[in-house]
Amino acid sequence: DAGVIQSPRHEVTEMGQEVTLRCKPISGHDYLFWYRQTMMRGLELLIYFNNNVPIDDSGMPEDRFSAKMPNASFSTLKIQPSEPRDSAVYFCASSLGGLSYEQYFGPGTRLTVT
Amino acid sequence: GDSVTQMEGPVTLSEEAFLTINCTYTATGYPSLFWYVQYPGEGLQLLLKATKADDKGSNKGFEATYRKETTSFHLEKGSVQVSDSAVYFCALRKQGGSEKLVFGKGTKLTVNP
């Protein structure tokens, strides 16, 4: 299995632009998670889905952030408009859930907003 | 709310030294506890886990014991290698249904030859 796939790996954009991050979870996994990692705040859960349905979006920082999962093999995290404080590494993870507790992380997207 | 506190890093050791990274948690009931490791430029990967009190998780020479009485899950390794250089995250998953993991801030370990 290829593991969790994220694209792009690096993104540099200007303040005010729209940014879309993409994730392909491991086939057969029912849960998908989006995290943000910064030096100041560490690793934060933004949102997670179960069977393509958002379950907990309490970590989404504000209305500029939105996430979708149109099918079991694809999810997007969109920031519109982007701001310099959104600069971070964004990770996607997936899991089988239930008794199988392990989350499998993708390599991350490093976002820089100038 | 639920939280995880890890010792501040960075930690720098010589090869073959003994490693301890402290982790304590705050949560109701009996959460499951995890250690994840992040190598440079990569995502996190599960290192070990324990799902009930007094369980010991182990993998690749690392160990951690779930201590309910001290709400701790300290990570140990008897003899570290250069290849163990990474950031280590302690995490908990609340008892009873949520898939949410709560992570500590991470501890960066550097092992010198």
Side-chain angles (χ1 to χ4, degrees):
Chain A
D1 198 320
V4 176
I5 298 172
Q6 291 187 246
S7 64
R9 293 292 310 273
H10 302 274
E11 176 81 35
V12 180
T13 191
E14 292 184 346
M15 184 174 61
Q17 296 298 305
E18 177 180 294
V19 175
T20 299
L21 311 182
R22 297 173 176 80
C23 175
K24 177 178 169 53
I26 292 173
S27 176
H29 282 191
D30 296 327
Y31 288 84
L32 183 138
F33 306 81
W34 281 102
Y35 291 90
R36 178 172 67 178
Q37 185 179 39
T38 61
M39 289 294 292
M40 290 298 294
R41 299 174 68 90
L43 195 64
E44 306 171 276
L45 177 67
L46 300 177
I47 186 171
Y48 80 91
F49 295 83
N50 177 213
N51 292 324
N52 314 337
V53 176
I55 302 300
D56 185 343
D57 65 355
S58 59
M60 295 286 264
E62 48 198 276
D63 291 346
R64 297 184 299 106
F65 285 70
S66 62
K68 294 182 179 179
M69 192 164 187
N71 58 61
S73 58
F74 183 65
S75 177
T76 59
L77 178 68
K78 186 174 292 186
I79 308 172
Q80 166 64 15
S82 58
E83 297 183 2
R85 61 192 166 120
D86 302 331
S87 297
V89 180
Y90 291 82
F91 288 103
C92 177
S94 70
S95 78
L96 288 168
L99 292 177
S100 176
Y101 298 120
E102 181 170 0
Q103 291 184 19
Y104 293 81
F105 282 72
T109 296
R110 181 173 295 277
L111 173 64
T112 303
V113 183
T114 60
Chain B
D2 300 336
S3 66
V4 173
T5 303
Q6 288 182 237
M7 64 186 286
E8 294 278 336
V11 174
T12 303
L13 296 173
S14 298
E15 207 163 23
E16 300 184 0
F18 184 85
L19 169 71
T20 301
I21 301 178
N22 290 338
C23 170
T24 57
Y25 68 89
T26 301
T28 54
Y30 291 84
S32 296
L33 301 173
F34 307 83
W35 277 100
Y36 277 78
V37 59
Q38 183 180 26
Y39 298 103
E42 299 182 10
L44 281 70
Q45 52 187 274
L46 181 66
L47 180 59
L48 53 83
K49 67 183 181 187
T51 57
K52 60 182 187 295
D54 299 325
D55 265 3
K56 178 186 282 188
S58 61
N59 186 25
K60 300 181 180 180
F62 290 89
E63 293 183 340
T65 301
Y66 188 147
R67 300 284 187 204
K68 179 68 175 171
E69 62 277 13
T70 54
T71 62
S72 65
F73 193 55
H74 305 323
L75 182 68
E76 296 182 336
K77 186 174 186 184
S79 176
V80 293
Q81 305 301 312
V82 172
S83 57
D84 294 326
S85 298
V87 181
Y88 292 82
F89 292 88
C90 186
L92 70 82
R93 178 186 161 181
K94 195 172 180 173
Q95 181 185 25
S98 172
E99 293 295 320
K100 202 168 173 175
L101 287 176
V102 176
F103 285 90
K105 296 227 166 157
T107 302
K108 183 175 181 180
L109 170 67
T110 301
V111 181
N112 295 317

